[in-house]
Amino acid sequence: MPLFEVETDAHIIITWAADEAAATAVLRDAYPTDRVIRMTKRPRDSWVISKGALGLKSATADICSTARDCLSKAAGDKVHAIRLYMQATGADLDVARKVIESNMVMGW
């Protein structure tokens, strides 16, 4: 069974599901008012990150895409990715660290 990463306006949910419809059903059961922003298949175990708990509230920027782009440019070097994220967004060190760490996946 594939693992899906479902990003909403308030959470990132990683859960096992048979298909996208089943992953959406998991989201609707847990967070019925959240709006799906992105859905991707992932090969890892289930977990959830609350964007609000991380201090990541931005309607103008795609935080996850920016973080993944910085990780890619830094070839997975977390410290360099944090610096790149700070340059790209103007975020402070603590916020940049949280964003980069929450977007790191096995293999970086």
Side-chain angles (χ1 to χ4, degrees), residues 47-67:
W47 51 276
V48 175
I49 296 175
S50 172
K51 289 181 177 180
L54 294 173
L56 308 176
K57 297 179 182 176
S58 174
T60 60
D62 183 355
I63 295 168
C64 292
S65 291
T66 303

Side-chain angles (χ1 to χ4, degrees), residues 57-107:
K57 297 179 182 176
S58 174
T60 60
D62 183 355
I63 295 168
C64 292
S65 291
T66 303
R68 289 186 183 114
D69 185 49
C70 292
L71 280 162
S72 179
K73 288 177 181 175
D77 179 333
K78 180 173 90 171
V79 174
H80 186 54
I82 290 169
R83 287 185 192 119
L84 289 172
Y85 188 85
M86 290 171 64
Q87 286 179 332
T89 65
D92 67 18
L93 178 61
D94 189 50
V95 170
R97 181 189 57 78
K98 288 177 182 178
V99 172
I100 293 298
E101 288 178 350
S102 68
N103 279 279
M104 290 182 75
V105 294
M106 297 297 278

Side-chain angles (χ1 to χ4, degrees), residues 8-11 13 23-36:
T8 73
D9 49 355
H11 299 90
I13 301 167
T24 300
V26 169
L27 166 72
R28 294 288 171 242
D29 184 48
Y31 304 101
T33 60
D34 280 14
R35 182 178 54 87
V36 175

